Amino acid sequence: MPAPEQHRLVFRQIDEPGYSNDLACYLRNGGYEVLRKAVRRRPEELVDEVKKSGLRGRGGAGFPCGVKWSLLDRKSGKPVYLIVNADESEPGTFKDRYIIYRDPHQLIEGIMITCFANKVEQTFIYIRGEFPDGAKILERAIAEARAANFVGPSILGTGYGCEIYVHRGAGAYICGEETGLIESLEGKRPYPRIKPPYFPAVLGLYQCPTIVNNVETICHVKHIADMGGEAFSKIGTPNNTGTRILCVSGHVQRPGYYEFDVGKLTMGQLLNEVCGGPLPGRKFKAVIPGGTSAKVLKFGERYKGRRKVGAEMVEYDWGVEDIPMDFDSLAMVGSMGGSGGVIVMDDSVSMVEALGNINAFYSHESCGQCTPCREGSLWMKRITARMVHGDARPEDGALLKSVADQIAGRTICAFGEACAWPTQSFVGKFGDEFKAYSQEKGGPRPDAAPELV
Amino acid sequence: MMNLSPETLQKIEQVIPHYPVKRSAVLPLLHFVQEERGFISDEAIEWIAAKLEIQPVNVYELVTFYPMLRRKPIGRRHIRVCRTLSCALMGGYRTCAEFQRQFNTGLGGISPDGEVTVEFVECLASCGTAPVVMIDDELHEKVDAARARALAQEIRAAARPEGAR
Ligand SMILES: Cc1cc2nc3c(=O)[nH]c(=O)nc-3n(C[C@H](O)[C@H](O)[C@H](O)COP(=O)(O)O)c2cc1C
Ligand code: SF4
Ligand code: FES
């Protein structure tokens, strides 16, 4: 079956010739019209639209956005904050970058609709330190929007006011985790908080109820307010509604960002048609479907089970190529949609070395609060580094797995899972390669196979 | 005493009231000071702590945590090569080695000519255009070894005064 057409909702404008990131251009293209209409509605109606839309968070966990908003603790009487998560730190993910750099006003319009709907009066955009120009672009866009009364003390003359400030991170992955982010914004080390009790919706920034949403999620809110929750829920597939941006990197002919109806496209269509297939003379070997934290999928393996299609339960028997790119299908095959970062590896790649690269990342980024995560990520890195640069032993795979198995479920935040899953899935699916590595590593290397650790 | 420029001082005064709690401004202040001075000195830590009415250790613990904050000066230009998977798959290690060779330098230190500091950093969120490199604040995409040589050439050319070899 041929791949469906891209459906660009959030990325509708960014590649249009002549489209620029200033307010005048945004207004010429119908910008802020949705906000104008939204502020004439009751805030509760807007929250209902988002609930009806079925929108799931695009930052990693895929939590329903409308449900998140309705968990806000209103009884406390404390101010409610919105934090936009623009940390974009999950390796393989690069969508928020393009929204921020090329279409910042779309994000600001989404923020203002979200704030109006939730009666928020203060927003912080937490942007990674590695986007210095992005922070400047956002600051300029906010100033333009404030001058035009889209942001500030009385938005569009309604008497409702909301400010947006940009807060820059300084290079730590853990600031993407929402409670680590909150600590960072409070001026502390970004040590994630323990949940319960520190659910942001109840005890978030400055112990006030706080919404944390990803940049792309907030942009979808604008489109929901525009077309209505009902219409949005008809895009995509049931429980996986709307469009989603997929970021493809690694060994394909055409890496890049693509926006599709969620679940209407399979992995095979994405990689073979949309991205042009493998590099000349190579074959796909493995793919990580949702950022490095997601479990790896191996080409050639089969996934079987029963799933719901409409009202019926049907059998499925999929190869990697057949998996629909949605949250539920990727969870069914034992991985996750995560942040939408699809990383492709072909047959030139040694899985031991690829895991070594990933382990180096997690060991560098563990915040160090929990012993299993701090020590475990370090040991997994050391073992894979020794396998590559020192002597590899046939039992190293089992050793790696035994370390990983002791992390997940025993830590304060989901980084514990994020650092254990790559090792568990790489060793689980490519165990033979780990066993044979000691013999094979001195042997001939595939052409142009680059160093990974 | 810190003798910060009037521009930096103005940015500092503007940013503090963005937050209901002063301590929240510590990261922005660290950025501003590092942008002007190149690194965070003991004196800067004391000054920022006093400014925000917190303990110096509360500033110090951030400087030691965040990878982008540094306690020492670096070369005139800062070359940050992405080390993470998507870039490595496309040859990021080769790119980094080429920069090191071009400036005859190891990772992290200052090159013998004082021009650059070459560093490996984790994912720069531009994995689709791998391998990527940040030179100062600017992102460069698809930087293979040949492109790294060309960029090194540009850096050297910009360093020489007009007319000099
Ligand atoms: C280790 C870790 C890193 C994360 N990094 C990011 C990130 O860079 N950007 C992001 O939006 N969410 C990230 N998340 C998810 C956030 O904690 C949070 O779920 C998300 O921002 C919520 O927004 P959403 O519901 O709109 O997806 C991360 C989570 C973990 C555990
Ligand atoms: S799991 Fe890891 S990153 Fe998360 S709080 Fe514990 S040590 Fe920190
Ligand atoms: S892996 Fe290099 S930019 Fe993401």
Side-chain angles (χ1 to χ4, degrees), chain A residues 90-357:
Chain A
E90 179 69 25
T93 320
F94 47 89
K95 62 202 172 65
D96 301 339
R97 163 189 284 279
Y98 295 98
I99 298 170
I100 292 163
Y101 278 72
R102 301 206 191 148
D103 206 0
H105 282 287
Q106 177 180 197
L107 175 60
I108 296 171
E109 186 170 12
I111 290 173
M112 295 314 297
I113 296 166
T114 302
C115 289
F116 181 77
N118 291 291
K119 306 186 182 105
V120 170
E121 292 174 12
Q122 179 62 63
T123 299
F124 292 98
I125 303 177
Y126 190 102
I127 184 169
R128 64 189 327 221
E130 297 89 336
F131 287 172
D133 292 339
K136 285 188 195 127
I137 289 166
L138 281 173
E139 270 166 359
R140 200 199 60 203
I142 293 164
E144 287 177 327
R146 191 179 283 123
N149 259 331
F150 299 126
V151 174
S154 175
I155 286 139
L156 295 163
T158 54
Y160 162 74
C162 182
E163 288 294 341
I164 309 175
Y165 296 125
V166 177
H167 187 92
R168 285 150 68 197
Y173 168 66
I174 199 59
C175 293
E177 196 281 337
E178 55 189 12
T179 61
L181 187 163
I182 288 170
E183 288 282 307
S184 176
L185 194 38
E186 290 185 2
K188 304 172 193 155
R189 276 193 171 190
Y191 287 150
R193 296 174 177 173
I194 198 152
K195 308 186 218 184
Y198 294 106
F199 291 108
V202 183
L203 292 171
L205 185 60
Y206 311 119
Q207 305 298 321
C208 296
T210 303
I211 303 171
V212 184
N213 271 135
N214 171 258
V215 167
E216 185 191 343
T217 312
I218 296 284
C219 291
H220 283 293
V221 169
K222 176 199 143 167
H223 298 282
I224 292 165
D226 187 15
M227 70 176 84
E230 183 82 33
F232 189 91
S233 75
K234 300 219 167 85
I235 304 172
T237 49
N239 205 35
N240 294 269
T241 59
T243 62
R244 155 147 237 205
I245 300 165
L246 298 167
C247 308
V248 187
S249 62
H251 293 153
V252 289
Q253 303 257 9
R254 288 190 293 276
Y257 45 78
Y258 303 97
E259 186 172 358
F260 282 95
D261 290 358
V262 190
K264 289 285 175 69
L265 175 87
T266 62
M267 181 69 92
Q269 289 170 327
L270 176 67
L271 299 188
N272 287 312
E273 293 175 49
V274 179
C275 297
L279 297 171
R282 311 263 192 92
K283 283 205 294 283
F284 290 141
K285 180 173 185 179
V287 58
I288 303 174
T292 46
S293 306
K295 289 191 174 176
V296 70
L297 304 172
K298 177 181 176 176
F299 282 83
E301 66 182 347
R302 304 296 301 178
Y303 312 94
K304 294 180 195 168
R306 287 161 69 76
R307 65 182 188 132
K308 224 171 149 184
V309 175
E312 278 169 66
M313 292 301 285
V314 298
E315 306 262 331
Y316 67 88
D317 178 1
W318 288 333
V320 175
E321 294 86 346
D322 308 315
I323 306 167
M325 296 299 287
D326 63 68
F327 294 102
D328 294 342
S329 302
L330 286 163
M332 276 179 340
V333 301
S335 188
M336 63 174 181
S339 61
V342 180
I343 306 171
V344 187
M345 288 167 272
D346 66 24
D347 53 358
S348 71
V349 178
S350 150
M351 298 313 278
V352 175
E353 293 166 19
L355 181 65
N357 181 287

Side-chain angles (χ1 to χ4, degrees), chain A residues 51 104 451:
Chain A
K51 273 193 208 153
E451 201 182 333

Side-chain angles (χ1 to χ4, degrees), chain B residues 64-120:
Chain B
T64 53
F65 189 93
Y66 289 100
M68 286 176 71
L69 300 174
R70 10 171 224 272
R71 302 283 342 261
K72 284 197 208 119
I74 53 169
R76 210 175 55 81
R77 306 290 295 274
H78 194 185
I79 302 176
R80 283 177 279 191
V81 183
C82 175
R83 189 210 65 83
T84 317
L85 187 58
S86 304
C87 284
L89 288 170
M90 301 307 284
Y93 274 72
R94 250 177 261 157
T95 302
C96 192
E98 186 60 36
F99 276 117
Q100 287 179 248
R101 190 154 45 236
Q102 287 292 319
F103 293 99
N104 182 29
T105 185
L107 286 180
I110 301 178
S111 61
D113 59 2
E115 269 318 304
V116 301
T117 291
V118 179
E119 253 180 355
F120 252 149

